[in-house]
Amino acid sequence: MKITLKDGSVKEYGSAMSIYEIAKDLSEGLARAACAGEVDGEVADLRTVIDRDCALNILTANDPEGLRIVRHTCSHVMAEAVKRLFPEAKLAIGPSIDTGYYYDFEHAPFSREDLDKIEVEMKKIIKEGHELKRFTLPRDEAVKFMEEKGEPYKVELIQDLPEDAEISFYDQGGFVDLCAGPHLMNTKGIKTFKLTSSSGAYWRGDSNRTMLQRIYGTAFNKKEELAEYLEYLENIKLRDHNKLGREMELFTTVDVIGQGLPLLMPKGAKMIQTMQRWIEDLEDNQWGYIRTKTPLMAKSDLYKLSGHWDHYKEGMFVLGDEEVDKEVFALRPMTCPFQYFVYKATQHSYRDLPLRYGETSTLFRNEDSGEMHGLTRVRQFTISEGHLIVRPDQMVEEFKNCIALAQHCLKTLGVEEDVTYHLSKWDPQNREKYIGEPEVWEETQEHMRNIMNELQIPFIEDVGEAAFYGPKIDINTKNVYGKEDTMITIQWDALLAAQFDMYYIDQNGDKVRPYIIHRTSMGCYERTLAWLIEKYEGKFPTWLCPVQVRILPISDKYEEYAQKVCKELKENGVWAEVDSRSEKIGFKIREARLAKLPYMLVVGQQEEADGTVSVRSRFAGDEGVKPLDEFVSQICKEIRTKEIRKEEAKEEAK
């Protein structure tokens, strides 16, 4: 057989050989470093026997796929260490992930001290140098094997495998785990690792199933790479909005109020207010929206009509019991059916369309307690919601405009480069999840695909992520930990108008069903605030800052002038405050820097005499002395244009 190597050279062998044997024939050093092979582009275990002509690339830990295999093996070593230290623990799953690996166990929560003990045991296992041996069993024997070991989660995994699946295991010195592989040949192939954290995780992501304990870890080929990654983890913790937002007094949470119900403190409320006023004025004055204000709750009848009762009831806060109460209400998880009745209150002709309804909507969703996180996953939130009622011939153009509005908002916030676009489609294999006929779904999705291609926007197609009544474009971003969240949604709906008996009168006097676009222009205000905290590390663009200027009098003698400067700024719409504490000016400057304020104005005898201010900024350090009216004009323009100034220099306070 002929084996074509990565460099294009060809090796010939007279009999079948494993990938590991071929690597060893090429070089003893390569065999020691090998993690897996890539056969005709497919990753394969080193134990895989090759008996045909093919292209072969030997993967090491320097290759991304090779490193994944190191990490996968490390997860098995971690599982063995846990079983040694905590024999009663039950094994679930332990895959590699982009940043390392994890393993889920049925066990009491693990402390940091537990993780340290597990690390010590893992080092022993690695040092023992166990060979990993792969073997397979028939389904019945595999089930019996794991039942005898008392591993119910492994039994369930085996039973759920397809009938024709090969059921494989890996044995590392007596510790055996169900796994498809691939794995290293020996535990000594793991060079350096670290267990980073632990948390709860539902079995198979189902909140109705057992809460397991997940241990996260990572592994690298070199100690320097691990040290760099751990330093990176410490840095992103400092940017985590859940930590930084509390330190900056933007929001807080209280146990007696409840999970997922954050309290916006004055500074955070000011930022949300700023964004809300901007979006409402933008939509109404420049994009042709008209505003509605609708109730926060409704009878179950409304949600039954829309389909949410059948498809989304578990995610709603229901007030009452259908078997007992004459009327059952629910807090709204969306605004669309309310705005439909605003439309239906008046008869419309084809000339009236499109109608673009906008509303700053407070919504409620019964998220799982394990999903709560700061401002990104909450149970009450506010969004820049809108529904466009359009004629079918207007749909494509209006949909493009919704994308353009979203992109304008992203650009203004300075985050347009941080997002990915997703076409969230229905899953034809899960028909009960959706309403409508397959032809409608396929036609709608093709329209959206064509729009994205015409606009030259790269996008990913996600099967099964559509809402029950229509596909959508989701604009997503990742938080500091790499978790992806949807920030903006634009949805094509060709179905709900019929359920609500919505129509318009066309030029022939006939009743015609409109199409509907469900969309947000900026998305959820709370989640956007979390995004901005992490994006800017709390150093927000001036127009968004809850305090834009702090005036620092050199001594008490100049407080009157400082207050005069503050009044002038406030009268021009600038959020300013005076630091009137009896502290040294250097201390005040350092405090203002720690507060991440855009501007500090130092005032003393000369400034008072000349009507000037000494300007220090977060962007350029000492900007010199300027006439007060000049500075007011400068900052007002920066706020009005929503300019995002870059930091040009860093200055240490003297």
Side-chain angles (χ1 to χ4, degrees):
M1 60 182 180
K2 294 181 179 179
I3 306 297
T4 304
L5 302 176
K6 185 179 180 180
D7 63 1
S9 62
V10 177
K11 294 282 289 186
E12 293 192 31
Y13 296 99
S15 60
M17 296 177 69
S18 70
I19 295 174
Y20 178 74
E21 289 170 330
I22 294 173
K24 195 171 183 179
D25 178 66
L26 295 172
S27 162
E28 288 281 352
L30 179 61
R32 286 193 298 272
C35 299
E38 198 172 48
V39 182
D40 291 335
E42 296 291 326
V43 177
D45 195 285
L46 288 169
R47 301 155 190 82
T48 302
V49 174
I50 298 178
D51 58 3
R52 58 180 174 81
D53 294 352
C54 67
L56 174 64
N57 178 25
I58 305 298
L59 299 173
T60 72
N62 293 322
D63 300 299
E65 284 301 325
L67 185 57
R68 289 184 74 88
I69 291 158
V70 172
R71 291 169 169 174
H72 192 185
T73 302
C74 205
S75 78
H76 279 230
V77 170
M78 178 173 70
E80 181 179 359
V82 169
K83 290 293 283 187
R84 284 186 181 186
L85 296 170
F86 309 98
E88 72 283 3
K90 304 298 182 187
L91 303 174
I93 58 172
S96 63
I97 55 178
D98 288 344
T99 56
Y101 55 88
Y102 68 80
Y103 211 112
D104 290 344
F105 305 90
E106 184 184 314
H107 190 266
F110 293 98
S111 65
R112 182 64 245 184
E113 290 73 19
D114 291 332
L115 300 190
D116 293 340
K117 291 175 184 176
I118 295 166
E119 282 186 0
V120 171
E121 197 64 32
M122 289 173 68
K123 290 175 182 177
K124 290 180 184 177
I125 295 168
I126 293 169
K127 190 174 181 181
E128 288 165 7
H130 298 296
E131 183 181 348
L132 282 88
K133 299 177 181 178
R134 184 180 186 274
F135 66 92
T136 61
L137 289 175
R139 180 180 296 272
D140 291 345
E141 290 184 32
V143 169
K144 183 180 178 182
F145 181 70
M146 280 301 173
E147 284 178 339
E148 290 175 349
K149 286 185 170 292
E151 300 291 357
Y153 300 102
K154 299 296 184 181
V155 171
E156 182 179 327
L157 289 170
I158 294 168
Q159 291 172 334
D160 287 351
L161 289 171
E163 287 297 325
D164 59 349
E166 182 181 64
I167 302 171
S168 61
F169 299 82
Y170 281 83
D171 182 335
Q172 56 190 49
F175 172 76
V176 180
D177 202 354
L178 171 73
C179 191
H183 279 288
L184 300 177
M185 299 294 287
N186 192 291
T187 58
K188 283 188 174 180
I190 300 168
K191 303 303 181 185
T192 184
F193 72 93
K194 182 70 178 176
L195 301 186
T196 54
S197 64
S198 63
S199 64
Y202 290 112
W203 172 232
R204 293 190 155 181
D206 185 345
S207 60
N208 296 314
R209 305 293 298 274
T210 306
M211 172 66 82
L212 305 176
Q213 298 304 313
R214 176 172 295 177
I215 300 178
Y216 286 96
T218 193
F220 286 89
N221 196 38
K222 297 176 182 177
K223 289 182 179 180
E224 296 80 7
E225 293 171 338
L226 176 61
E228 184 179 327
Y229 177 71
L230 295 178
E231 182 181 355
Y232 162 75
L233 284 184
E234 289 303 312
N235 288 335
I236 64 173
K237 285 179 184 176
L238 298 176
R239 291 172 49 209
D240 182 352
H241 86 275
N242 208 16
K243 178 179 184 295
L244 186 53
R246 294 170 195 270
E247 291 174 351
M248 296 183 69
E249 299 181 353
L250 300 177
F251 75 97
T252 188
T253 52
V254 183
D255 287 343
V256 295
I257 292 176
Q259 278 188 302
L261 299 171
L263 301 175
L264 288 169
M265 299 175 72
K267 292 177 183 177
K270 172 63 76 173
M271 294 186 70
I272 295 288
Q273 180 191 59
T274 300
M275 289 189 284
Q276 180 180 326
R277 288 177 173 175
W278 163 54
I279 289 294
E280 289 179 350
D281 289 345
L282 178 70
E283 290 179 346
D284 299 355
N285 298 334
Q286 298 181 38
W287 292 81
Y289 283 78
I290 50 179
R291 208 133 291 275
T292 66
K293 186 173 178 57
T294 56
L296 300 181
M297 67 175 76
K299 294 195 297 184
S300 59
D301 306 54
L302 179 69
Y303 306 116
K304 289 174 182 176
L305 182 60
S306 68
H308 287 90
W309 201 254
D310 292 332
H311 293 272
Y312 199 74
K313 183 181 176 183
E314 293 303 313
M316 296 168 64
F317 287 102
V318 178
L319 311 176
D321 186 333
E322 286 186 283
E323 296 182 4
V324 177
D325 300 312
K326 184 177 179 181
E327 290 184 331
V328 173
F329 287 78
L331 298 177
R332 65 180 184 185
M334 80 307 294
T335 308
C336 43
F338 297 87
Q339 290 191 328
Y340 297 165
F341 279 99
V342 172
Y343 176 83
K344 283 169 61 68
T346 307
Q347 181 168 292
H348 299 281
S349 82
Y350 70 98
R351 293 188 181 90
D352 299 327
L353 305 186
L355 276 171
R356 307 180 188 96
Y357 294 118
E359 182 163 338
T360 302
S361 304
T362 298
L363 306 179
F364 306 85
R365 295 185 184 172
N366 192 9
E367 301 279 5
D368 292 329
S369 59
E371 295 292 317
M372 300 297 105
H373 179 68
L375 297 175
T376 58
R377 188 72 65 174
V378 293
R379 287 174 169 151
Q380 175 184 309
F381 55 95
T382 303
I383 66 173
S384 57
E385 194 166 15
H387 296 88
L388 288 76
I389 317 299
V390 305
R391 302 193 310 261
D393 64 289
Q394 297 170 326
M395 188 66 169
V396 169
E397 190 63 28
E398 289 297 321
F399 201 91
K400 289 180 186 176
N401 288 340
C402 288
I403 294 174
L405 173 56
Q407 290 180 323
H408 173 79
C409 293
L410 293 171
K411 184 176 181 180
T412 303
L413 292 170
V415 294
E416 72 273 24
E417 300 297 326
D418 303 336
V419 301
T420 55
Y421 292 78
H422 297 251
L423 170 52
S424 296
K425 306 189 298 183
W426 80 317
D427 181 359
Q429 305 303 315
N430 190 11
R431 286 287 288 112
E432 66 275 7
K433 181 181 174 182
Y434 309 95
I435 63 174
E437 297 304 315
E439 308 83 61
V440 176
W441 283 90
E442 295 301 331
E443 179 183 353
T444 300
Q445 288 171 179
E446 186 60 25
H447 277 306
M448 296 170 73
R449 191 178 290 114
N450 291 339
I451 287 171
M452 297 300 283
N453 287 330
E454 182 181 338
L455 296 175
Q456 298 182 333
I457 300 174
F459 64 97
I460 301 163
E461 298 196 13
D462 296 329
V463 175
E465 294 300 316
F468 68 86
Y469 50 84
K472 53 185 177 168
I473 297 298
D474 286 324
I475 303 177
N476 296 355
T477 193
K478 291 181 179 179
N479 67 14
V480 291
Y481 296 104
K483 183 182 181 300
E484 192 167 68
D485 287 307
T486 297
M487 308 308 295
I488 296 172
T489 293
I490 305 166
Q491 191 165 341
W492 185 304
D493 176 8
L495 298 170
L496 286 184
Q499 290 192 212
F500 283 84
D501 192 28
M502 297 167 66
Y503 63 87
Y504 63 91
I505 305 300
D506 72 4
Q507 54 267 50
N508 300 317
D510 296 327
K511 293 182 177 180
V512 180
R513 299 288 183 210
Y515 280 2
I516 303 166
I517 300 174
H518 308 239
R519 48 100 276 179
T520 54
S521 52
M522 190 194 66
C524 167
Y525 286 98
E526 290 84 354
R527 186 174 287 182
T528 299
L529 178 55
W531 185 12
L532 295 173
I533 293 169
E534 296 185 352
K535 163 75 175 181
Y536 291 107
E537 300 180 45
K539 299 176 183 177
F540 307 110
T542 301
W543 73 275
L544 274 173
C545 286
V547 178
Q548 295 161 334
V549 179
R550 182 178 291 174
I551 302 103
L552 313 178
I554 290 176
S555 71
D556 295 346
K557 290 189 296 183
Y558 308 108
E559 184 176 345
E560 184 178 343
Y561 179 62
Q563 294 293 350
K564 178 183 175 183
V565 170
C566 186
K567 182 182 178 186
E568 179 77 12
L569 287 164
K570 286 182 175 181
E571 287 176 350
N572 282 275
V574 180
W575 301 322
E577 63 182 21
V578 176
D579 186 345
S580 57
R581 295 175 297 170
S582 297
E583 300 284 356
K584 292 183 178 180
I585 192 65
F587 177 84
K588 291 183 179 182
I589 292 173
R590 285 192 294 274
E591 289 279 290
R593 287 189 175 280
L594 289 173
K596 306 179 190 296
L597 301 180
Y599 292 97
M600 297 164 273
L601 303 182
V602 179
V603 295
Q605 181 179 5
Q606 195 63 50
E607 286 81 11
E608 183 178 34
D610 298 341
T612 60
V613 289
S614 180
V615 182
R616 292 171 181 260
S617 77
R618 199 181 65 211
F619 316 105
D622 188 347
E623 295 192 14
V625 176
K626 297 182 180 181
L628 176 58
D629 58 353
E630 180 183 325
F631 175 76
V632 171
S633 176
Q634 169 196 317
I635 193 171
C636 285
K637 179 182 178 183
E638 184 180 337
I639 293 168
R640 184 178 67 255
T641 61
K642 298 177 174 57
E643 179 186 354
I644 300 176
R645 287 190 69 183
K646 304 297 182 183
E647 291 194 32
E648 300 167 9
K650 295 188 181 295
E651 178 196 41
E652 295 298 326
K654 299 292 190 289

